[in-house]
Amino acid sequence: MGLMNIMLFHSTYGLRPAVHAAADRLRAAGHEVHVPDLFGGHTFESVEEGLAFKEETGKEELLKRAVLAAAPYSDRGLVYVGFSLGASVAQTLALGDAKARGLLLFHGTSDIAENASVDELPVQLHVADPDPFETHDWLNSWYLQMQRTGADVEVYRYPGAGHLFTDAGLPDFDQASAELAWKVAIGFLATL
């Protein structure tokens, strides 16, 4: 319990004010937070624009940027945190980092490699219910696969919330769901 070293990854909208606000919230809880910009300064007004940029840049390049951002801190044991696209990046890095202390996912998950294996990695997911990007069937499968890797998984669903419900600058924002998600997430970090 105590100070965590957190690597926070932004969504497909890029490094928006809401991501800095989230980092400040985590810092206020006593954590050290690193917020890499995987999009090199680009931010977007729509998911479509962000996804087009992601496709143009390529998943491998984005992962490479994320790994390079995390590398200087990984020896100290990182908690990987991400929003939507950033959550899939965070998950990929956490499952590949033997020293990862935890994985906190908001609004997103990712495919899990067949050979992925962790030692009781604490994982918490906060997701809208329903979420067009994270269907029930997908999440049920994801949950079982994550357990198979050895992760200790908790899933929190927020009925009626929009996909990126923690981002106050987007139409998806749902204040009640966002506050609850943050309260649970901060509590989760305190247990690591």
Side-chain angles (χ1 to χ4, degrees), residues 15-120:
L15 192 49
R16 297 166 35 80
V19 183
H20 290 295
D24 289 343
R25 191 184 283 249
L26 293 166
R27 289 181 186 113
H31 305 294
E32 187 177 320
V33 186
H34 311 280
V35 190
D37 185 349
L38 303 183
F39 284 4
H42 295 277
T43 57
F44 301 97
E45 295 303 311
S46 74
V47 171
E48 292 74 23
E49 288 175 290
L51 287 174
F53 182 81
K54 178 194 128 186
E55 292 307 316
E56 196 180 299
T57 307
K59 190 176 177 182
E60 292 308 311
E61 174 61 24
L62 291 175
L63 279 175
K64 188 173 106 184
R65 292 176 187 180
V67 168
L68 288 172
Y73 310 103
S74 60
D75 273 358
R76 291 160 52 194
L78 285 169
V79 176
Y80 292 92
V81 183
F83 297 102
S84 194
L85 165 70
S88 71
V89 171
Q91 177 186 306
T92 301
L93 265 61
L95 292 181
D97 180 353
K99 292 185 177 169
R101 301 278 300 275
L103 175 60
L104 176 56
L105 305 171
F106 290 95
H107 324 297
T109 59
S110 183
D111 295 330
I112 300 165
E114 281 297 316
N115 60 350
S117 173
V118 293
D119 186 13
E120 294 181 8

